[in-house]
Amino acid sequence: MMELQKPVTERRRQTRNSIYKFIYDAPKPVSKQEISESLGYSLPTIHQNITELLAAGLIRVGVIKESTGGRPPVGYEAVGSVRYAIGIAVSANYLRFLVCDVNQQQLNYKRIHIEANLADEFARQIQRELDLFMRENKLDSSQLLGVGLTIPGIIDHEKDEIILSPTMNIRKMSLGIIRKLIPYPLYFENDSHSAGYAEWICSEQKEKNRNMVYLQLENGIGGTAFIGGHQIMGNNNRCSEFGHMRVEPGGLSCSCGQKGCLEAYCSAFRFTRDLGIQIEEFFDGLSKGNIEYAKLWDDVLEHLSIGICNLRMVYDSDIVLGGFVSEYLEPYLPRLRQMVAERSPFDDDGSFIYIGKHPRNAAMMGVAWHFTSEFIENV
Ligand SMILES: [Zn+2]
């Protein structure tokens, strides 16, 4: 495979990029004729760019299906395996790894249990496990675009540090510790911002230009909002910390030090802390009619509906529920929708509440796509 030559002018680069992106976005191989009709470039221009893209291994020849006999017409499609990116979700108990190609297809996944550690040892652990993950999956580092890491906490990109992560018990940790050990381009992002980004990319809200709020339900609660097509980040990169909205004055203690936060009522910790069981066991018992579990669940839904109602009030947007708790929510969605509608002075039903498509992997996908999107933009 040849490296793509740098075009003589920026205008030529843009032409090549729009041809590549047109092929990349198409659901099936496209012909030179189709590209010409859609983008308005001459056939010689398209021919020249396609030759370059083929030589660089970025696209390949594919067969256009609707053949009427004779030689099938030829089209072009994007090659996913030309580069790849890795997403790592860091949490208090687990490191989760995911690798995806340029076509955003997931190739490999791994989850390992970790013990909470001092920052230095923790960084070394990430380095060791990343090395192992790459060796196990025979990933060639020369094809690697970068490694994205998600943290359940607030990140200051300018100071390059984690400001606060209550669930990981981190206050002011320099990201330089990790940068020193890992020799690839690195990108750090808040876990729910990243997960929300992945859900947004795959959402019908994006497709239909609708506003979307993503509420992530895991051991912590976070989220992100896409308003007018843009992800809003806030003045301090801590927009949408929905988990710490107050839903019960003077209520249960929260990891942030306050009382009555949404997170204290509706995170997965509720099941381990109040009942001493894991989430699978909780929802299994709930579906079989366990009275104690049902009582706790009523309380979770009560507070969740208050939280969702507040988000609806602020943003007037669709609400997408994600995170691993959302994997269990489908049977309870009609009731949750009804509870929210009863609280809302403006809504007749809760049909604006959805469950996300990637309850387990969205954070890793989002942070890996940071690199693949950048790559696509720069072809
Ligand atoms: Zn809190």
Side-chain angles (χ1 to χ4, degrees):
M1 186 176 60
M2 280 162 53
E3 275 297 309
L4 207 51
Q5 295 293 314
K6 202 171 157 38
V8 191
T9 64
E10 176 57 19
R11 202 164 138 244
R12 280 203 185 170
R13 195 198 69 80
Q14 281 173 8
T15 303
R16 182 171 74 193
N17 190 258
S18 63
I19 292 170
Y20 174 68
K21 279 205 277 199
F22 185 82
I23 296 169
Y24 180 90
D25 288 333
K28 55 182 186 172
V30 287
S31 66
K32 288 177 186 167
Q33 198 62 42
E34 280 176 81
I35 302 170
S36 175
E37 279 163 17
S38 299
L39 301 180
Y41 299 129
S42 71
L43 281 170
T45 299
I46 290 165
H47 179 78
Q48 186 205 332
N49 281 285
I50 283 194
T51 306
E52 285 175 27
L53 293 167
L54 282 169
L58 287 160
I59 60 169
R60 66 179 160 225
V61 175
V63 173
I64 299 173
K65 287 277 150 58
E66 299 128 27
S67 171
T68 49
R71 249 177 79 184
V74 159
Y76 302 91
E77 61 189 3
V79 176
S81 59
V82 66
R83 292 282 191 287
Y84 68 95
I86 293 175
I88 307 177
V90 178
S91 66
N93 303 113
Y94 295 102
L95 284 181
R96 290 180 297 148
F97 294 81
L98 179 148
V99 57
C100 68
D101 66 13
V102 169
N103 284 347
Q104 302 184 334
Q105 294 300 308
Q106 181 181 323
L107 305 175
N108 305 98
Y109 171 82
K110 184 185 184 182
R111 184 180 83 160
I112 59 154
H113 185 78
I114 54 164
E115 297 297 333
N117 263 317
L118 291 171
D120 212 28
E121 179 47 33
F122 172 65
R124 265 181 236 287
Q125 194 162 17
I126 295 175
Q127 178 206 23
R128 274 199 306 271
E129 295 299 336
L130 174 63
D131 274 354
L132 187 62
F133 180 72
M134 288 179 66
R135 270 187 277 127
E136 283 169 349
N137 295 298
K138 300 188 172 59
L139 301 172
D140 176 357
S141 62
S142 70
Q143 304 294 103
L144 175 64
L145 292 169
V147 178
L149 289 102
T150 68
I151 312 277
I154 298 158
I155 294 166
D156 186 330
H157 287 288
E158 251 166 56
K159 290 187 183 154
D160 203 33
E161 64 181 23
I162 302 170
I163 297 173
L164 177 69
S165 171
T167 48
M168 293 197 60
N169 211 6
I170 292 174
R171 213 171 259 275
K172 287 216 178 273
M173 178 187 140
S174 165
L175 293 170
I177 299 170
I178 302 175
R179 288 191 196 279
K180 250 195 298 191
L181 291 171
I182 299 177
Y184 312 116
L186 292 180
Y187 176 71
F188 296 87
E189 187 60 277
N190 168 273
D191 61 342
S192 23
H193 284 184
S194 177
Y197 173 70
E199 288 286 4
W200 167 248
I201 295 292
C202 308
S203 70
E204 62 179 270
Q205 280 76 21
K206 179 174 185 285
E207 195 161 327
K208 293 178 180 165
N209 285 321
R210 292 175 64 78
N211 293 329
M212 172 186 138
V213 162
Y214 172 75
L215 181 64
Q216 188 185 43
L217 307 168
E218 300 212 324
N219 284 325
I221 291 183
T224 188
F226 294 83
I227 306 299
H230 296 285
Q231 185 170 24
I232 54 173
M233 306 307 276
N235 290 340
N236 304 289
N237 200 32
R238 57 179 187 234
C239 202
S240 314
E241 281 289 340
F242 304 137
H244 305 289
M245 296 191 307
R246 208 62 46 84
V247 290
E248 186 74 62
L252 296 174
S253 294
C254 180
S255 63
C256 71
Q258 299 294 324
K259 282 181 190 296
C261 297
L262 183 66
E263 182 168 304
Y265 283 85
C266 304
S267 81
F269 265 138
R270 192 87 200 268
F271 315 125
T272 34
R273 187 189 54 206
D274 287 22
L275 301 170
I277 55 170
Q278 295 301 312
I279 188 166
E280 296 84 3
E281 198 181 333
F282 175 79
F283 281 101
D284 186 46
L286 184 66
S287 69
K288 289 175 181 154
N290 182 307
I291 293 169
E292 191 191 3
Y293 295 5
K295 208 167 145 230
L296 181 81
W297 187 235
D298 285 347
D299 194 55
V300 172
L301 285 183
E302 172 88 5
H303 290 92
L304 185 58
S305 68
I306 296 172
I308 292 174
C309 197
N310 291 346
L311 294 176
R312 175 73 169 170
M313 204 69 78
V314 174
Y315 294 104
D316 182 25
S317 73
D318 289 348
I319 314 272
V320 174
L321 305 174
F324 65 78
V325 177
S326 72
E327 206 169 43
Y328 300 90
L329 287 182
E330 196 71 54
Y332 311 99
L333 185 62
R335 186 163 157 226
L336 178 64
R337 282 176 164 165
Q338 194 192 341
M339 289 170 82
V340 173
E342 280 166 12
R343 287 210 143 81
S344 166
F346 309 126
D347 294 301
D348 297 328
D349 60 51
S351 58
F352 56 89
I353 305 168
Y354 297 82
I355 293 175
K357 297 185 178 82
H358 305 284
R360 297 268 172 187
N361 295 345
M364 289 168 283
M365 290 159 71
V367 83
W369 292 355
H370 168 84
F371 289 100
T372 54
S373 312
E374 194 178 66
F375 174 78
I376 291 157
E377 284 307 315
N378 288 299
V379 159

